[in-house]
Amino acid sequence: VAADRRVASIRDVARRANVSISTVSRVISRKIPVDEETQARVRKAIKELKYKPNLVASGLRSKSAKSIGLLVPRISDPFFSSLIDHVDRTAISQGYNLLLFNTHSDPAFEEQVVDNLLRRHVDGIIFSMVSDESRAMELLTDVGVPVVMFDRVRPGSRHMNLVIDNRKAGEIAADHLLGLGHRSFACLTGPLTISLCADRLAGFSERLERSGHPLGTGGVLRGDFSFESGAAAAEMMLRSIHPPTAVWAQNDLMAAGLIKGLARTGVRVPEQVSVMGMDGLIVPEIVTPALTTITQPVEEMARRAVEMILEAKNTAVPPGEVVLQPRLMVRDSTTRCPNP
Amino acid sequence: VAADRRVASIRDVARRANVSISTVSRVISRKIPVDEETQARVRKAIKELKYKPNLVASGLRSKSAKSIGLLVPRISDPFFSSLIDHVDRTAISQGYNLLLFNTHSDPAFEEQVVDNLLRRHVDGIIFSMVSDESRAMELLTDVGVPVVMFDRVRPGSRHMNLVIDNRKAGEIAADHLLGLGHRSFACLTGPLTISLCADRLAGFSERLERSGHPLGTGGVLRGDFSFESGAAAAEMMLRSIHPPTAVWAQNDLMAAGLIKGLARTGVRVPEQVSVMGMDGLIVPEIVTPALTTITQPVEEMARRAVEMILEAKNTAVPPGEVVLQPRLMVRDSTTRCPNP
DNA sequence: TTGTAAGCGTTATCAT
DNA sequence: ATGATAACGCTTACAA
């Protein structure tokens, strides 16, 4: 049960230590020298009263509540939950806490959420947009706090951008599968209104074209990043006249669904069809066969995102755009083409 | 780039609408009647200035920043990321936002985090402790805000408790496996310093004992809820003199690891060994074979947790303890005992 | 080195 | 129905 005990304030500490509240403030902030002896008195009082500075009050006055707003489209997506984890880690190491917002991959909800976030006067915003059509970005212009557009960005943004080279990811996937002798492909994409999906697809298909084995009709399967959409794609795929021998899914969850869907109709991976995914978090090792995938450097992404915000606060010239590199991770779900 | 544009305050709105700031406040809060016409003027000014109430300021004054603190041991664990998702959903539907904290399953870190959280004067705390040895609970007594101890509780707590019937979960698992004719069992547990693990184990083993087929030596495998610990347990298990034909892992991640580990040494699930898990989120369908598991009603748990906090704020007699029920979900990883 | 006092942007308590 | 005005708990010039 919540007792309504009044909690000690800086005044109480000041009275107890026989100093002014500003002295107490100085002792805490350690920015301005305070006599050793009075310092000791103050610390004693703080301990005795179990005083904890009220960050709401200090946030109001100093205009920095030491918090970072993190907006993601889906909290429970393994990529984002891992991102949240790592962002939290770096943020807290710098004394910042996380205000978390789920936009539910819904543009309307996203606007509402951004509007809400703005009322909280966070020190910075890390934002992974729902899609290129998000009006939310406009709501974030000139808001007076650093904004890092994360993972999903739109060209011409006036914010900082942090992305991985998605086109490159597609190329890596294509190269890997071509190298295994495959000649007939499919790509299971996320919503193409998200530019990152379009970029990945572009890299993938251009590389294939250049090698003389373009993605044919039915070579583009549209999913929504969910396991279910991956499973559903399996049926679509098998219905086509020339079923591909190699598929790249734009995230691991869909790849896992695809494998499941294929297994359901008796198609074996990788013996009959090679499948690869993207992200590289938990899912690839859980799945059977273990998933060949393209990993994203989430930890580094998270760290850089927080750093960018802090740099923007402290330096005159904040970083504009940071691009990180995806990497191939070969496991068991891809193999040489069975019928070359 | 972050421009330092000053954002409109309630004073600006008041000036523009030719009213006092209290009137503006009244229009916004809708608690006190305001003349229709002046109301219109105020709303117009709000729109024109793009005014957004500063929740830091209002939080300071009203002692309610409309935020809930959520502390979990591991953000990227599927159970907790799903929990976070649902808590966020309910919280936001009530106008509350989420401050998220990761305790990293580390008691020392946990204390630091709780201490930190307390400075933020949230309206309520939902807390999933690291273990029974957590000193953190003491830090949370008499803090003046409602605290819901979630999932991991300790008897004698003066906070509200929200749990599932973990003993029952163990019984359900035992009954399912006994019903399939198994006579030789193992339980892959989480850290036994977490009472929920001990409870699950107690329910499981007591049921087995009563049926005349007790968990033998080596029947208790200790894991840490991670996929890796599940994979490692497979080796331990196969080394024992009478390897079990049925194993219950206390979460799905470990069950998935176990299946992987068994596959590595050529043991097939469920043909040779039946495996079941617990939680029921994403993992069971990704895994091959699909995992028989005991589901936790996360959505309901999340909703109840938020409700409990709100009730504690608003009613005289807050709920003390809420117990929810786990349910069996049969899929493909368990089957009749091969050698009865 | 320390104290005084003026805010930060609200809400709440008075009056009117 | 509306307006002054005093907090809320802190930071930060400015004085001393």
Side-chain angles (χ1 to χ4, degrees):
Chain A
V1 177
D4 259 307
R5 275 167 42 82
R6 204 183 133 276
V7 86
S9 83
I10 198 172
R11 310 184 89 90
D12 302 317
V13 176
R15 252 193 296 272
R16 178 150 199 141
N18 252 305
V19 294
S20 72
I21 59 171
S22 21
T23 301
V24 178
S25 177
R26 283 174 196 127
V27 170
I28 292 165
S29 71
R30 303 157 179 275
K31 296 256 163 191
I32 289 164
V34 173
D35 184 274
E36 281 296 332
E37 198 201 336
T38 47
Q39 214 169 120
R41 277 216 315 287
V42 171
R43 290 197 198 290
K44 185 154 164 282
I46 288 178
K47 195 152 288 173
E48 290 170 350
L49 295 175
K50 293 186 181 165
Y51 168 67
K52 298 186 200 315
N54 181 335
L55 287 183
V56 178
S58 97
L60 174 60
R61 175 61 230 242
S62 68
K63 295 190 178 307
S64 164
K66 292 288 191 178
S67 58
I68 289 176
L70 176 56
L71 283 72
V72 299
R74 208 158 85 82
I75 291 177
S76 51
D77 179 295
F79 174 70
F80 287 110
S81 63
S82 171
L83 176 77
I84 296 169
D85 191 333
H86 286 110
V87 168
D88 179 87
R89 216 185 292 263
T90 9
I92 213 162
S93 77
Q94 309 282 348
Y96 288 79
N97 285 131
L98 227 58
L99 266 160
L100 183 64
F101 298 84
N102 195 349
T103 59
H104 300 282
S105 298
D106 173 348
F109 203 84
E110 182 178 55
E111 287 181 33
Q112 188 187 317
V113 160
V114 168
D115 196 73
N116 199 292
L117 167 63
L118 256 19
R119 293 168 153 73
R120 298 213 169 257
H121 290 248
V122 294
D123 296 296
I125 297 172
I126 300 173
F127 186 18
S128 192
M129 279 193 301
V130 165
S131 86
D132 284 18
E133 287 144 10
S134 290
R135 253 198 50 204
M137 208 173 73
E138 299 159 28
L139 299 178
L140 283 176
T141 48
D142 294 332
V143 289
V145 300
V147 176
V148 173
M149 301 303 290
F150 182 92
D151 202 40
R152 305 175 172 193
V153 305
R154 197 162 51 183
S157 137
R158 291 168 57 208
H159 307 292
M160 298 177 282
N161 287 332
L162 175 55
V163 293
I164 66 152
D165 190 337
N166 284 298
R167 182 172 280 269
K168 180 73 154 294
E171 294 171 0
I172 293 174
D175 286 344
H176 174 65
L177 296 173
L178 282 167
L180 289 172
H182 292 274
R183 295 297 175 253
S184 162
F185 307 87
C187 183
L188 174 47
T189 74
L192 291 174
T193 52
I194 301 175
S195 60
L196 131 187
C197 298
D199 291 347
R200 289 178 190 177
L201 177 59
F204 188 65
S205 72
E206 278 175 24
R207 202 65 149 212
L208 294 180
E209 258 168 48
R210 199 163 302 174
S211 77
H213 307 280
L215 267 183
T217 337
V220 177
L221 305 164
R222 296 191 56 165
D224 63 1
F225 283 137
S226 72
F227 177 86
E228 291 74 21
S229 73
E235 299 180 24
M236 292 297 311
M237 201 184 100
L238 296 173
R239 249 183 245 145
S240 65
I241 316 171
H242 298 296
T245 63
V247 188
W248 178 42
Q250 293 189 342
N251 79 344
D252 292 332
L253 230 37
M254 288 193 297
L258 189 64
I259 289 177
K260 202 68 159 198
L262 290 173
R264 223 172 264 150
T265 54
V267 177
R268 304 208 53 190
V269 174
E271 291 80 359
Q272 296 171 263
V273 178
S274 282
V275 171
M276 61 188 297
M278 175 151 188
D279 282 353
L281 299 156
I282 322 175
V283 179
E285 29 182 12
I286 291 182
V287 167
T288 307
L291 209 54
T292 293
T293 194
I294 297 187
T295 62
Q296 303 204 52
V298 231
E299 182 167 357
E300 188 182 1
M301 293 169 92
R303 187 165 40 72
R304 288 299 289 133
V306 174
E307 285 171 1
M308 285 167 86
I309 284 177
L310 268 32
E311 282 170 32
K313 283 194 67 171
N314 303 326
T315 70
V317 189
E321 174 154 288
V322 171
V323 181
L324 300 177
Q325 294 302 322
R327 276 211 317 267
L328 178 65
M329 176 77 156
V330 180
R331 286 209 183 80
D332 310 328
S333 65
T334 52
T335 192
R336 295 207 62 77
C337 181
N339 43 352
Chain B
V1 177
D4 260 308
R5 276 165 45 79
R6 206 184 131 276
V7 87
S9 82
I10 198 171
R11 310 186 88 89
D12 302 316
V13 176
R15 253 193 295 272
R16 179 149 197 141
N18 252 305
V19 294
S20 71
I21 59 171
S22 8
T23 300
V24 177
S25 178
R26 284 175 193 125
V27 170
I28 292 164
S29 71
R30 303 157 180 274
K31 296 256 164 192
I32 290 164
V34 173
D35 184 273
E36 282 295 333
E37 198 201 335
T38 47
Q39 215 169 118
R41 277 217 314 286
V42 171
R43 290 197 197 290
K44 184 154 165 284
I46 288 177
K47 195 152 287 175
E48 289 170 350
L49 294 174
K50 293 185 183 167
Y51 167 68
K52 297 186 201 313
N54 182 334
L55 286 183
V56 179
S58 106
L60 174 60
R61 179 62 234 242
S62 69
K63 295 190 177 309
S64 164
K66 290 288 190 179
S67 59
I68 289 176
L70 177 56
L71 283 73
V72 300
R74 209 157 84 83
I75 291 177
S76 50
D77 180 295
F79 174 70
F80 288 110
S81 63
S82 171
L83 175 76
I84 297 168
D85 191 333
H86 287 110
V87 168
D88 179 88
R89 216 184 292 262
T90 8
I92 214 163
S93 77
Q94 309 282 348
Y96 288 78
N97 285 131
L98 227 58
L99 267 160
L100 184 64
F101 298 83
N102 195 349
T103 59
H104 300 281
S105 298
D106 173 348
F109 203 84
E110 181 178 56
E111 287 181 32
Q112 189 187 317
V113 160
V114 168
D115 197 72
N116 199 293
L117 167 63
L118 255 19
R119 294 167 151 74
R120 297 213 169 256
H121 291 248
V122 294
D123 296 297
I125 297 171
I126 300 174
F127 185 20
S128 192
M129 279 193 301
V130 166
S131 86
D132 284 18
E133 286 144 11
S134 291
R135 251 199 51 204
M137 209 173 75
E138 299 159 28
L139 300 177
L140 283 176
T141 48
D142 294 332
V143 289
V145 300
V147 176
V148 173
M149 301 304 289
F150 182 92
D151 202 40
R152 305 175 171 193
V153 305
R154 196 162 52 184
S157 137
R158 290 170 55 209
H159 306 293
M160 298 178 281
N161 288 332
L162 175 55
V163 293
I164 66 152
D165 190 337
N166 284 298
R167 183 172 280 269
K168 180 75 152 295
E171 295 171 359
I172 293 175
D175 287 344
H176 174 66
L177 295 173
L178 282 167
L180 289 171
H182 292 275
R183 295 297 175 253
S184 161
F185 307 87
C187 182
L188 175 47
T189 74
L192 292 174
T193 52
I194 301 174
S195 60
L196 132 187
C197 299
D199 290 347
R200 289 179 190 176
L201 178 58
F204 188 66
S205 72
E206 278 175 24
R207 200 66 147 211
L208 294 180
E209 257 169 50
R210 201 163 302 174
S211 77
H213 307 280
L215 268 182
T217 337
V220 177
L221 305 163
R222 296 191 56 164
D224 63 2
F225 284 136
S226 73
F227 178 85
E228 290 74 22
S229 73
E235 299 179 25
M236 291 298 310
M237 203 185 99
L238 296 173
R239 248 183 244 145
S240 64
I241 316 168
H242 297 297
T245 62
V247 188
W248 177 43
Q250 292 189 342
N251 79 344
D252 292 333
L253 230 37
M254 289 193 296
L258 188 64
I259 290 178
K260 203 67 159 198
L262 289 173
R264 221 172 266 149
T265 53
V267 178
R268 305 209 52 190
V269 174
E271 291 80 359
Q272 295 171 264
V273 178
S274 283
V275 171
M276 60 188 298
M278 175 152 188
D279 281 353
L281 298 156
I282 321 175
V283 180
E285 29 181 11
I286 292 182
V287 167
T288 306
L291 209 54
T292 293
T293 195
I294 297 188
T295 62
Q296 303 204 52
V298 232
E299 183 168 356
E300 187 181 3
M301 292 168 92
R303 187 164 41 71
R304 290 298 289 132
V306 175
E307 285 172 359
M308 284 167 86
I309 285 178
L310 268 32
E311 283 170 31
K313 283 194 67 173
N314 302 325
T315 69
V317 189
E321 173 153 288
V322 172
V323 181
L324 300 177
Q325 294 302 322
R327 275 212 317 267
L328 178 66
M329 175 77 156
V330 180
R331 287 208 182 81
D332 309 329
S333 65
T334 51
T335 191
R336 296 208 61 77
C337 182
N339 44 351

